[in-house]
Amino acid sequence: MSHNAEEYDAIAERLFAPIYPVIAAAVVERTGKRCGRMLDVGCGGGHLALAVLREGAFDHVTLLDENADALKMAEDRIRGELTSENRTSTMLSSCCSDICAADLAERIGTTFDLIVSRGSMPFWDDQMAAFKNLYALLAPGGVAYVGGGMGSRALREQIAAQMAEIRRQNGGSGPRMFDMSASKALETSAYEALLEHLGADCDVVANDEEGRWFVFGKPAE
């Protein structure tokens, strides 16, 4: 198993756990999507997908990540939840792939009512290709909620303090917040221009409280 996948999952479980219900609640409130087919892009250990699943009644959840070890952890975590809650009507599938892949839509072979992604956007090598793929994977009337944030300023500060304490106890070694100077993400205007070109309905949430999120939909037929 990938050491990085194990490390990230441990951080998500130990430190980030409080953020996912907050973000999931914002997802369903802003998109209005509580059922149908959901895709979690760059799912990691599946924490956001699981939190959104708990908010609604989705009949199919698909997980996408280029790290096979992370994908396996996400599958196990969500399958365990579905079993424990006796939600046998909800189907689970996965795809090990880069969101930027030119043949992604063909490989997945279906579209989604809701697409979510938290924290993976800064790592995408081709931001324009990724957003084109996201739009292509939306069903008519579907909505994507893509970006990054820690749920609230208070949660971000709490987690930063916890990370600092872990490093103090370990002689400077331990988790840190992602260095946004290393992000491959573009200026907001670049995404807005692309989404307008594609014909998407787009809103941007960008503030110190929630982070930066792109909420965009494909018009219903």
Side-chain angles (χ1 to χ4, degrees), residues 61-141:
V61 180
T62 298
L63 305 168
L64 173 70
D65 203 288
E66 60 181 345
N67 186 312
D69 292 328
L71 203 56
K72 178 63 166 57
M73 286 188 286
E75 290 173 336
D76 290 346
R77 178 168 284 119
I78 293 178
R79 189 170 286 112
E81 170 82 3
L82 295 175
T83 300
S84 66
E85 294 293 323
N86 196 30
R87 301 171 77 166
T88 54
S89 63
T90 301
M91 303 298 294
L92 176 66
S93 62
S94 63
C95 179
C96 189
S97 177
D98 181 354
I99 181 61
C100 307
D103 63 343
L104 182 62
E106 291 79 6
R107 291 178 62 187
I108 291 182
T110 190
T111 55
F112 300 91
D113 303 291
L114 175 65
I115 298 176
V116 297
S117 181
R118 179 209 165 269
S120 66
M121 188 173 147
F123 300 95
W124 298 343
D125 289 325
D126 188 337
Q127 298 283 318
M128 294 292 98
F131 268 70
K132 288 177 182 177
N133 278 342
L134 290 167
Y135 189 72
L137 288 167
L138 284 174

Side-chain angles (χ1 to χ4, degrees), residues 3-203:
H3 182 58
N4 287 341
E6 282 188 315
E7 277 189 349
Y8 184 82
D9 195 67
I11 292 170
E13 284 283 281
R14 180 179 180 185
L15 300 176
F16 288 4
I19 77 174
Y20 298 109
V22 176
I23 295 171
V27 168
V28 297
E29 179 181 351
R30 288 200 173 104
T31 67
K33 300 296 181 180
R34 295 179 180 272
C35 60
R37 301 177 66 89
M38 174 175 65
L39 170 68
D40 184 356
V41 175
C43 65
H47 296 86
L48 180 56
L50 185 55
V52 175
L53 183 64
R54 288 169 174 162
E55 289 280 337
F58 294 91
D59 54 36
H60 197 286
V61 180
T62 298
L63 305 168
L64 173 70
D65 203 288
E66 60 181 345
N67 186 312
D69 292 328
L71 203 56
K72 178 63 166 57
M73 286 188 286
E75 290 173 336
D76 290 346
R77 178 168 284 119
I78 293 178
R79 189 170 286 112
E81 170 82 3
L82 295 175
T83 300
S84 66
E85 294 293 323
N86 196 30
R87 301 171 77 166
T88 54
S89 63
T90 301
M91 303 298 294
L92 176 66
S93 62
S94 63
C95 179
C96 189
S97 177
D98 181 354
I99 181 61
C100 307
D103 63 343
L104 182 62
E106 291 79 6
R107 291 178 62 187
I108 291 182
T110 190
T111 55
F112 300 91
D113 303 291
L114 175 65
I115 298 176
V116 297
S117 181
R118 179 209 165 269
S120 66
M121 188 173 147
F123 300 95
W124 298 343
D125 289 325
D126 188 337
Q127 298 283 318
M128 294 292 98
F131 268 70
K132 288 177 182 177
N133 278 342
L134 290 167
Y135 189 72
L137 288 167
L138 284 174
V143 184
Y145 196 99
V146 178
M150 304 298 286
S152 70
R153 183 188 298 107
L155 283 171
R156 185 178 67 247
E157 292 173 353
Q158 170 189 308
I159 293 167
Q162 290 172 329
M163 288 180 170
E165 177 60 19
I166 292 171
R167 293 196 302 275
R168 186 191 67 77
Q169 294 176 3
N170 290 278
S173 175
R176 297 176 182 272
M177 291 291 189
F178 178 69
D179 181 1
M180 291 306 295
S181 67
S183 174
K184 298 174 183 177
L186 307 176
E187 294 294 326
T188 296
S189 58
Y191 301 105
E192 290 177 319
L194 173 64
L195 292 168
E196 181 179 1
H197 174 73
L198 292 173
D201 303 315
C202 178
D203 289 316

